[in-house]
């Protein structure tokens, strides 16, 4: 089973300990994970405990499992979570894959595809698009959009482009650009 966890920035930065515990429990259960994040603080393999309890938790559990004579039974020893021959955990590998932002042309194409309403050249140019054939207008629309401030402000990030496409259902391109200008870079990164 492969579980894909996308946009985990908030979980990594705000609830790192709980998020790592969650990942650890999934890995112990044999689930393969693909975690996507633009977080500046990536996950380190040494942070994953791989099912091991905290020392205080293990100590109290060990004390609870002891019999009247103070010794643990052999059945308890077999179930202590150690990495023995009979209970091998699947290997974990962690790699960092950095994806580059989309090119302005690809970002413009994605926005045009995802936008729920048609964008026209008049909306992107202050003086209007003039009269031209349908193919020429489509080429001009893509060329104009890829050089537009909106595409620059979205930074080539697909989640930001998806957000913009949803917003363009209710606002014009110029209104959306004004919204983005008002945002601080950190606020815009959360889109």
């Amino acid at each position: 089973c492969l579980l894909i966890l996308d946009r985990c920035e908030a979980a990594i930065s705000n609830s790192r300990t709980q998020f790592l515990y969650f990942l650890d429990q999934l890995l112990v259960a044999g689930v393969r994970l693909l975690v996507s994040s633009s977080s500046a603080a990536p996950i380190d393999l040494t942070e994953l405990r791989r099912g091991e309890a905290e020392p205080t938790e293990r100590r109290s559990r060990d004390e609870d499992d002891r019999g009247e004579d103070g010794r643990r039974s052999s059945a308890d020893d077999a179930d202590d979570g150690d990495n023995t021959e009979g209970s091998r955990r699947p290997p974990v590998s962690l790699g960092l894959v950095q994806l580059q932002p989309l090119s302005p042309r690809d970002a413009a194409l994605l926005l045009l595809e995802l936008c729920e309403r048609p964008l026209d050249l008049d909306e992107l140019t202050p003086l209007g698009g003039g009269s031209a054939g349908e193919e020429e207008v489509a080429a001009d629309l893509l060329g104009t959009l890829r050089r537009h401030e909106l595409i620059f402000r979205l930074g080539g990030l697909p989640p930001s482009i998806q957000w913009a496409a949803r917003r363009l259902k209710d606002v014009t391109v110029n209104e959306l650009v004004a919204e983005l200008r008002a945002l601080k870079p950190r606020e815009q990164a959360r889109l």
Side-chain angles (χ1 to χ4, degrees):
C1 171
L2 173 65
L3 177 62
I4 300 172
L5 303 171
D6 192 18
R7 296 197 71 174
C8 296
E9 298 84 11
I12 291 171
S13 62
N14 300 337
S15 306
R16 188 175 193 86
T17 303
Q18 293 88 346
F19 185 68
L20 290 171
Y21 178 78
F22 172 67
L23 294 180
D24 183 58
Q25 295 304 304
L26 290 170
L27 290 169
V28 167
V31 176
R32 293 175 26 198
L33 299 172
L34 176 60
V35 180
S36 162
S37 169
S38 62
S39 175
I43 298 169
D44 183 8
L45 273 178
T46 60
E47 294 178 279
L48 295 175
R49 301 192 61 80
R50 302 290 315 262
E52 298 172 14
E54 294 293 332
T56 56
E57 292 173 12
R58 180 173 289 271
R59 188 178 328 108
S60 61
R61 191 190 82 187
D62 287 348
E63 290 167 1
D64 292 343
D65 289 344
R66 294 187 194 281
E68 291 176 14
D69 60 356
R71 297 174 46 195
R72 292 181 65 190
S73 70
S74 59
D76 291 335
D77 289 340
D79 189 35
D80 68 355
D82 289 342
N83 195 4
T84 60
E85 196 66 37
S87 64
R88 281 222 165 101
R89 294 186 185 113
V92 173
S93 65
L94 183 66
L96 178 63
V97 178
Q98 285 190 304
L99 300 177
Q100 298 301 316
L102 296 175
S103 70
R105 181 182 184 280
D106 290 340
L109 281 170
L110 182 59
L111 182 64
L112 288 172
E113 174 143 347
L114 295 177
C115 194
E116 294 182 22
R117 68 172 177 86
L119 298 178
D120 60 15
L121 202 52
D122 291 336
E123 188 175 4
L124 298 174
T125 56
L127 303 174
S131 61
E134 194 173 308
E135 249 179 60
E136 212 173 301
V137 169
D140 284 346
L141 178 64
L142 180 59
T144 303
L145 183 58
R146 68 174 229 175
R147 290 184 300 275
H148 197 276
E149 182 181 356
L150 175 62
I151 296 300
F152 169 74
R153 290 201 172 271
L154 295 174
L157 302 174
S160 296
I161 296 166
Q162 290 171 328
W163 173 84
R166 286 191 307 272
R167 285 292 295 135
L168 284 171
K169 179 180 173 187
D170 301 321
V171 299
T172 67
V173 171
N174 290 333
E175 291 170 338
L176 184 56
V177 169
E179 282 181 32
L180 291 171
R181 283 180 188 149
L183 294 177
K184 294 177 183 170
R186 186 178 195 103
E187 293 171 326
Q188 189 172 336
R190 293 185 202 152
L191 299 179

